[in-house]
Amino acid sequence: MTSAVRTQVAIVGAGPAGLVLSHLLAEAGIDSIILDQRSREDIESTIRAGILEQGTVDLLATIEGSRVHIVGQRHDGIELRFEGAGHRIDFPGLAGRSVWLYPQHEALKDLLAARLAAGQDLRFGVTATAVEGVDTTSPRIVAVDDAGVPVEVEADFVVGADGSHSVVRKAMSGSHAGYFREYPFAWFGILCEAAPSADELIYSNSPDGFALISQRSPTVQRMYFQCDPAADAGAMSEAEIWDTLQQRVPGTTLVEGPIFQRDVLRFRSFVARDLRHGRVAIVGDAAHTVPPTGAKGMNLAVADVILLARALEALLLRSDEGPIDGWADAARDRIWKAQHFSWWMTSMLHVAPDASDFDRLRQLGELRSVVESEAGRTYLAEGYTGWPMG
Ligand code: PHB
């Protein structure tokens, strides 16, 4: 027996994009159903990045029960470190905004609790396998639940918020239709039990490669160092990991502690060619991925759905097709700015495996030209804290 349901907006994916979209739609009086193949526990425990732009925080703070202002920490700057010296980028002074350190999985716990308390139809363990009727006014998600029972959701609009392996993207335009860039390095990430090594995040360029000293809480820290994409996360001893990190942040002594999680994050830049086809759209990682250096991933997902919610309100409540017709171009404006910013931070701070002396000295010239100029620091601060929403 197939279980068939109908809603106004069918959303695949209960990550930040899908959950924030369902919240904004509900506020406008639009019904939605969210399907996710994962369990609630899986969603709440996946470790992702932790920097939120001011605009993302302002939106999350309006959601009932959000802990972003309680557990999250405002950061008014970062340090760029190279040639053994640190250079602070003062966000409020340069851009009039700050960022917040609030781990994505904490934001997801808040969002899931708020949506479920509001009566959102949110189905875990349901895997979307196809989207049918892509060219009609009632597209349909075909899915199957954990018990093997087929599920069909018919809607006025389908949204794929289903991550980088998006089924909805594939149904719209083929899975690889888009613009890519691969990088010849990855990040080795650790979580450790230690006090913070500094008040603010440190982005460090060293002759041996990049390192990022981030934080999670007063007792847990997140750190990364540039590594080979083929690196085996289990192969290094804790002592080797600390030696590597200390060496990459010359001039700072890191506070060490037991490492309780490690992972290798491969990264690439991607933007899908089509963001919308008729009444089907993709958002968040389904539509684009960025290297993590600029901390843009979740912020860009939230920006996509703020614009999409406005366009769906016009379409579904007022039969006004103008905003949805303009949505992909409006979203793309921000996506490509964020792509550039993420690529720029990445290429300015990492050392490519084949970098020549020329490349290395040019990179130091670039870093100096950013930190020594108010215009350079302002450019970085504006991009990092997020451009205002149009
Ligand atoms: C993190 O804390 O995981 C983090 C912070 C800043 C970044 C990337 C990741 O740019």
Side-chain angles (χ1 to χ4, degrees), residues 48-51 187 201 203 212 214 216 222 224 292-295 384:
R48 303 290 291 269
I51 291 290
W187 279 5
L201 272 58
Y203 287 77
L212 168 59
S214 183
R216 281 294 176 269
R222 180 80 162 141
Y224 303 93
T293 325
Y384 197 94

Side-chain angles (χ1 to χ4, degrees), residues 38 101 147-148 196 199 231 293 331 390:
R38 298 166 295 173
L101 184 86
D199 290 341
T293 325

Side-chain angles (χ1 to χ4, degrees), residues 37-271:
Q37 61 186 4
R38 298 166 295 173
S39 66
R40 182 174 179 181
E41 296 69 42
D42 277 356
I43 296 172
E44 290 184 342
S45 60
T46 306
I47 304 291
R48 303 290 291 269
I51 291 290
L52 304 182
E53 296 172 0
Q54 186 80 59
T56 305
V57 171
D58 292 346
L59 172 63
L60 293 181
T62 65
I63 299 176
E64 187 71 28
S66 172
R67 295 165 302 143
V68 66
H69 283 151
I70 303 165
V71 177
Q73 293 163 1
R74 200 182 79 217
H75 279 239
D76 287 340
I78 56 168
E79 182 179 285
L80 282 192
R81 183 158 268 280
F82 55 95
E83 293 187 300
H87 306 266
R88 182 163 191 263
I89 309 293
D90 165 20
F91 295 151
L94 294 160
R97 310 184 280 278
S98 297
V99 295
W100 290 71
L101 184 86
Y102 190 51
Q104 179 167 321
H105 67 276
E106 298 295 344
L108 283 171
K109 284 183 201 165
D110 294 351
L111 283 163
L112 285 166
R115 294 314 305 135
L116 291 169
Q120 172 71 41
D121 186 339
L122 204 176
R123 303 177 188 205
F124 301 105
V126 178
T127 304
T129 54
V131 182
E132 294 180 351
V134 167
D135 289 307
T136 72
T137 52
S138 45
R140 222 166 34 254
I141 298 173
V142 180
V144 60
D145 74 12
D146 270 350
V149 177
V151 177
E152 268 189 30
V153 186
E154 190 183 81
D156 297 326
F157 205 97
V158 164
V159 178
D162 50 344
S164 52
H165 301 292
S166 173
V167 168
V168 178
R169 181 177 76 234
K170 197 167 171 197
M172 254 176 48
S173 53
S175 56
H176 296 300
Y179 310 95
F180 287 96
R181 186 187 171 97
E182 300 282 348
Y183 296 81
F185 35 75
W187 279 5
F188 193 117
I190 62 158
L191 280 170
C192 66
E193 281 167 38
S197 292
D199 290 341
E200 295 176 340
L201 272 58
I202 304 173
Y203 287 77
S204 181
N205 167 281
S206 83
D208 302 306
F210 171 72
L212 168 59
I213 310 307
S214 183
Q215 311 172 0
R216 281 294 176 269
S217 73
T219 55
V220 172
Q221 311 311 319
R222 180 80 162 141
M223 303 183 192
Y224 303 93
F225 60 87
Q226 173 187 345
C227 69
D228 190 293
D232 170 5
M236 283 176 99
S237 69
E238 290 204 17
E240 285 169 329
I241 293 174
W242 284 116
D243 282 351
T244 307
L245 279 165
Q246 298 280 7
Q247 197 179 11
R248 303 268 180 109
V249 197
T252 300
T253 304
L254 301 175
V255 182
E256 300 184 8
I259 295 171
F260 62 90
Q261 194 191 296
R262 41 169 87 193
D263 41 24
V264 172
L265 268 85
R266 302 188 62 159
F267 54 88
R268 61 179 195 158
S269 301
F270 168 69
V271 181

